Amino acid sequence: RGNDEKYKVRMPKLRMVREYRDKRKSIDDVERNIFKFKKSSEEKNKKMEKEEKIFRETFMYDKEIRVLSRATAECSVPSQRRVDLPLTAGEQLDVIDTVQGHAVICRNSQSRYGYVLVEHLNFR
Protein backbone atom coordinates (compact mmCIF):
# COMPACT_ATOMS: atom_id res chain seq x y z
CA ARG A 1 0.00 0.00 0.00
CA GLY A 2 2.84 2.42 0.74
CA ASN A 3 4.36 1.93 -2.73
CA ASP A 4 1.04 2.58 -4.50
CA GLU A 5 0.60 5.97 -2.81
CA LYS A 6 4.16 6.93 -3.73
CA TYR A 7 3.52 6.65 -7.48
CA LYS A 8 -0.03 8.03 -7.47
CA VAL A 9 -0.40 11.32 -9.36
CA ARG A 10 -2.57 13.88 -7.62
CA MET A 11 -4.07 16.98 -9.18
CA PRO A 12 -3.54 20.09 -7.11
CA LYS A 13 -6.91 21.40 -5.94
CA LEU A 14 -5.72 25.00 -5.81
CA ARG A 15 -5.34 25.16 -9.61
CA MET A 16 -8.90 23.99 -10.23
CA VAL A 17 -10.27 26.50 -7.76
CA ARG A 18 -8.45 29.38 -9.49
CA GLU A 19 -9.81 28.40 -12.88
CA TYR A 20 -13.31 28.23 -11.48
CA ARG A 21 -12.85 31.60 -9.79
CA ASP A 22 -11.58 33.23 -13.02
CA LYS A 23 -14.47 31.78 -15.00
CA ARG A 24 -16.92 33.06 -12.41
CA LYS A 25 -15.41 36.55 -12.55
CA SER A 26 -15.81 36.69 -16.31
CA ILE A 27 -19.46 35.61 -16.02
CA ASP A 28 -20.09 38.28 -13.37
CA ASP A 29 -18.48 40.95 -15.59
CA VAL A 30 -20.80 40.04 -18.48
CA GLU A 31 -23.86 40.29 -16.24
CA ARG A 32 -22.71 43.65 -14.92
CA ASN A 33 -22.27 44.96 -18.47
CA ILE A 34 -25.84 43.96 -19.28
CA PHE A 35 -27.15 45.96 -16.34
CA LYS A 36 -25.04 48.99 -17.34
CA PHE A 37 -26.49 48.80 -20.85
CA LYS A 38 -30.04 48.87 -19.50
CA LYS A 39 -29.21 51.88 -17.35
CA SER A 40 -27.75 53.81 -20.28
CA SER A 41 -30.76 53.00 -22.48
CA GLU A 42 -33.05 54.40 -19.78
CA GLU A 43 -30.98 57.59 -19.72
CA LYS A 44 -31.11 57.73 -23.50
CA ASN A 45 -34.92 57.40 -23.46
CA LYS A 46 -35.20 60.26 -20.97
CA LYS A 47 -32.95 62.41 -23.16
CA MET A 48 -35.03 61.58 -26.25
CA GLU A 49 -38.23 62.56 -24.44
CA LYS A 50 -36.65 65.84 -23.33
CA GLU A 51 -35.47 66.65 -26.88
CA GLU A 52 -38.92 65.80 -28.25
CA LYS A 53 -40.57 68.11 -25.73
CA ILE A 54 -38.20 70.97 -26.69
CA PHE A 55 -38.89 70.25 -30.37
CA ARG A 56 -42.68 70.40 -29.91
CA GLU A 57 -42.44 73.69 -27.99
CA THR A 58 -39.99 75.34 -30.41
CA PHE A 59 -41.68 74.28 -33.66
CA MET A 60 -45.25 74.26 -32.27
CA TYR A 61 -45.55 70.74 -33.70
CA ASP A 62 -48.66 68.91 -32.48
CA LYS A 63 -48.80 66.09 -35.06
CA GLU A 64 -47.51 62.57 -34.52
CA ILE A 65 -43.75 62.29 -35.11
CA ARG A 66 -43.33 59.84 -38.00
CA VAL A 67 -40.22 59.21 -40.05
CA LEU A 68 -41.03 59.84 -43.72
CA SER A 69 -37.63 58.83 -45.08
CA ARG A 70 -33.93 58.61 -44.28
CA ALA A 71 -31.29 60.87 -45.74
CA THR A 72 -27.54 61.35 -45.57
CA ALA A 73 -25.88 64.72 -45.16
CA GLU A 74 -23.64 65.49 -48.14
CA CYS A 75 -21.56 68.19 -46.45
CA SER A 76 -20.91 69.72 -43.05
CA VAL A 77 -23.04 72.78 -42.33
CA PRO A 78 -23.00 74.79 -39.07
CA SER A 79 -26.35 76.04 -37.82
CA GLN A 80 -27.20 79.67 -38.61
CA ARG A 81 -30.21 79.92 -36.29
CA ARG A 82 -31.36 78.10 -33.17
CA VAL A 83 -33.94 76.11 -35.14
CA ASP A 84 -31.43 74.90 -37.74
CA LEU A 85 -29.83 71.49 -37.28
CA PRO A 86 -26.02 71.45 -37.57
CA LEU A 87 -24.79 68.76 -39.97
CA THR A 88 -21.64 66.70 -40.35
CA ALA A 89 -20.80 65.05 -43.65
CA GLY A 90 -22.12 61.48 -43.91
CA GLU A 91 -24.49 61.81 -40.95
CA GLN A 92 -27.74 59.79 -41.11
CA LEU A 93 -30.90 61.85 -40.61
CA ASP A 94 -34.58 60.94 -40.25
CA VAL A 95 -36.88 63.23 -42.23
CA ILE A 96 -39.87 64.02 -40.03
CA ASP A 97 -41.85 66.59 -41.99
CA THR A 98 -41.65 68.72 -45.12
CA VAL A 99 -42.10 72.47 -44.87
CA GLN A 100 -42.84 75.17 -47.42
CA GLY A 101 -39.79 76.09 -49.44
CA HIS A 102 -36.54 74.13 -49.58
CA ALA A 103 -36.35 72.98 -45.95
CA VAL A 104 -37.37 69.80 -44.14
CA ILE A 105 -37.54 69.00 -40.43
CA CYS A 106 -35.00 66.30 -39.55
CA ARG A 107 -33.81 64.36 -36.51
CA ASN A 108 -30.18 63.29 -36.08
CA SER A 109 -28.70 60.35 -34.14
CA GLN A 110 -28.55 62.40 -30.91
CA SER A 111 -32.35 62.95 -31.17
CA ARG A 112 -31.96 66.65 -31.94
CA TYR A 113 -34.48 68.22 -34.29
CA GLY A 114 -34.15 71.11 -36.70
CA TYR A 115 -34.55 72.51 -40.18
CA VAL A 116 -32.23 71.27 -42.92
CA LEU A 117 -32.09 72.49 -46.51
CA VAL A 118 -32.94 69.81 -49.09
CA GLU A 119 -29.86 70.70 -51.14
CA HIS A 120 -27.61 69.46 -48.30
CA LEU A 121 -29.25 66.01 -48.21
CA ASN A 122 -28.87 62.86 -50.29
CA PHE A 123 -32.02 60.69 -50.38
CA ARG A 124 -30.66 57.26 -51.32
Side-chain angles (χ1 to χ4, degrees):
R1 207 174 210 198
N3 290 338
D4 290 340
E5 288 180 9
K6 190 190 281 186
Y7 298 109
K8 199 173 196 181
V9 178
R10 296 185 185 191
M11 293 291 289
K13 292 183 180 179
L14 183 63
R15 184 176 238 171
M16 290 169 53
V17 171
R18 269 192 205 151
E19 290 173 5
Y20 175 72
R21 192 179 334 143
D22 292 342
K23 185 185 277 187
R24 187 170 178 187
K25 281 183 182 178
S26 66
I27 291 171
D28 290 344
D29 291 342
V30 170
E31 290 176 358
R32 286 187 188 124
N33 287 341
I34 290 171
F35 294 128
K36 286 181 182 177
F37 177 75
K38 288 181 180 177
K39 184 179 178 183
S40 67
S41 66
E42 289 175 7
E43 291 172 359
K44 190 173 182 180
N45 286 339
K46 288 180 183 178
K47 183 179 178 186
M48 287 177 66
E49 289 174 6
K50 181 181 174 187
E51 290 290 339
E52 183 178 330
K53 182 179 176 184
I54 293 170
F55 162 70
R56 288 187 181 279
E57 290 172 357
T58 306
F59 289 85
M60 291 179 258
Y61 195 83
D62 57 351
K63 297 185 267 182
E64 179 185 355
I65 296 176
R66 287 190 4 232
V67 177
L68 301 177
S69 65
R70 292 199 63 135
T72 306
E74 290 183 339
C75 58
S76 297
V77 180
S79 61
Q80 302 292 330
R81 304 175 293 170
R82 183 171 175 249
V83 293
D84 291 338
L85 186 65
L87 300 177
T88 56
E91 183 179 14
Q92 294 287 326
L93 300 170
D94 296 330
V95 178
I96 304 297
D97 198 4
T98 56
V99 190
Q100 296 175 359
H102 299 286
V104 291
I105 298 175
C106 292
R107 175 177 62 196
N108 65 6
S109 59
Q110 288 89 29
S111 301
R112 300 221 25 222
Y113 296 84
Y115 289 116
V116 178
L117 293 176
V118 176
E119 54 207 40
H120 299 304
L121 299 176
N122 185 6
F123 292 94
R124 276 194 161 178

